[in-house]
């Protein structure tokens, strides 16, 4: 089964340089963070440092484009950073990158190494297809606050990913909800790599190929399909 992913015309108009590549994988074997996964995260941090060559993450042209886009839909990018910039800051800090679980560690490593926002969702927890839209402000985003389940609502005009049950990720790729995240029980996942101009489409395609190879390596026998890049315009 192929999960449907759609991008609304409002989002395409907001970010005409947007491209996304999706990887759909079935038969995955997840588990706790491992030494091998940890080594990939450490290597990604080294690759990032070489890429930035002393610059701060937000000074990279791709991250600057994401900041401009966040500003365009009313978000403050210095407070709510896109996922790649937030991870890059962690990677360059004394704290280093977090270890979550094997699948998340794999896609975080690719995100950091290439400075591309990458997300992963458990297909079995998604209701219907996934849509990238500008929110009305009435959509439900179920999260956890203070250890208790809480329902938030995005700002009107905010770019969000959602399915039939509600918002799965706020502010485009800033904060994922717990309902669809990858857990150690996940066996089917959709991985989404998102880029804006000026990043060449070839680079996001190469990053997707790297992630697909890692998924195949750590989950032998997994059915993996990499979809062709889908430019916004």
């Amino acid at each position: 089964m192929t999960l449907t992913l759609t991008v609304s015309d409002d989002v395409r108009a907001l970010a005409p340089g947007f491209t996304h590549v999706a990887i759909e994988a079935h038969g995955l074997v997840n588990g706790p963070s491992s030494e091998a996964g940890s080594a990939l995260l450490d290597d990604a941090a080294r690759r990032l440092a070489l890429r930035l060559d002393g610059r701060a993450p937000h000074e990279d042209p791709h991250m600057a484009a994401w900041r401009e886009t966040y500003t365009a839909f009313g978000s403050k990018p210095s407070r709510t950073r896109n996922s790649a910039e937030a991870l890059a800051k962690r990677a360059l800090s004394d704290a280093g990158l977090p270890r979550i679980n094997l699948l998340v560690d794999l896609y975080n490593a690719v995100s950091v190494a290439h400075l591309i926002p990458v997300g992963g969702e458990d297909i079995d927890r998604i209701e219907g297809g996934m849509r990238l839209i500008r929110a009305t402000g009435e959509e439900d985003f179920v999260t956890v606050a203070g250890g208790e389940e809480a329902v938030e609502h995005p700002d009107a005009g905010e770019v969000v990913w959602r399915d039939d049950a509600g918002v799965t990720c706020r502010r485009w790729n800033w904060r994922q909800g717990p309902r669809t995240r990858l857990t150690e029980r996940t066996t089917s996942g959709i991985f989404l790599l998102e880029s804006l101009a000026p990043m060449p489409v070839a680079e996001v395609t190469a990053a997707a190929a790297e992630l697909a190879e890692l998924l195949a390596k750590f989950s032998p026998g997994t059915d993996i399909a990499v979809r062709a890049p889908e430019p916004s315009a």
Side-chain angles (χ1 to χ4, degrees), residues 174-203:
W174 167 62
R175 184 160 60 125
Q176 181 187 36
R179 173 171 59 89
T180 58
R181 67 187 174 192
L182 302 177
T183 70
E184 292 182 22
R185 297 181 299 279
T186 297
T187 58
S188 294
I190 188 85
F191 301 85
L192 196 63
L193 298 87
E194 302 179 301
S195 68
L196 295 171
M199 175 167 279
V201 173
E203 180 155 1

Side-chain angles (χ1 to χ4, degrees), residues 64-111:
W66 276 106
R67 283 194 166 214
E68 289 174 9
T69 300
Y70 268 49
T71 300
F73 66 76
S75 184
K76 294 182 178 179
S78 59
R79 228 174 31 143
T80 55
R81 297 177 177 88
N82 75 79
S83 63
E85 184 183 334
L87 278 174
K89 282 183 66 68
R90 286 286 301 269
L92 298 173
S93 73
D94 291 339
L97 288 165
R99 274 59 172 166
I100 310 297
N101 59 54
L102 181 57
L103 290 177
V104 175
D105 293 350
L106 295 183
Y107 78 68
N108 278 350
V110 171
S111 175

Side-chain angles (χ1 to χ4, degrees), residues 6-135:
T6 58
V7 179
S8 74
D9 290 342
D10 286 347
V11 173
R12 293 183 188 279
L14 177 75
F18 173 59
T19 299
H20 68 277
V21 180
I23 303 170
E24 187 166 341
H26 297 274
L28 291 164
V29 178
N30 199 8
S33 297
S34 65
E35 288 187 11
S38 187
L40 285 170
L41 289 169
D42 290 340
D43 182 62
R46 287 190 288 269
R47 291 166 66 184
L48 172 69
L50 288 172
R51 182 189 192 96
L52 292 174
D53 192 24
R55 295 173 299 165
H58 71 267
E59 295 175 299
D60 176 85
H62 190 215
M63 295 297 94
W66 276 106
R67 283 194 166 214
E68 289 174 9
T69 300
Y70 268 49
T71 300
F73 66 76
S75 184
K76 294 182 178 179
S78 59
R79 228 174 31 143
T80 55
R81 297 177 177 88
N82 75 79
S83 63
E85 184 183 334
L87 278 174
K89 282 183 66 68
R90 286 286 301 269
L92 298 173
S93 73
D94 291 339
L97 288 165
R99 274 59 172 166
I100 310 297
N101 59 54
L102 181 57
L103 290 177
V104 175
D105 293 350
L106 295 183
Y107 78 68
N108 278 350
V110 171
S111 175
V112 168
H114 291 269
L115 264 185
I116 295 174
V118 183
E121 308 278 357
D122 188 322
I123 290 176
D124 293 330
R125 295 170 179 264
I126 295 170
E127 297 190 21
M130 289 182 62
R131 308 185 293 283
L132 187 65
I133 64 164
R134 299 198 70 174

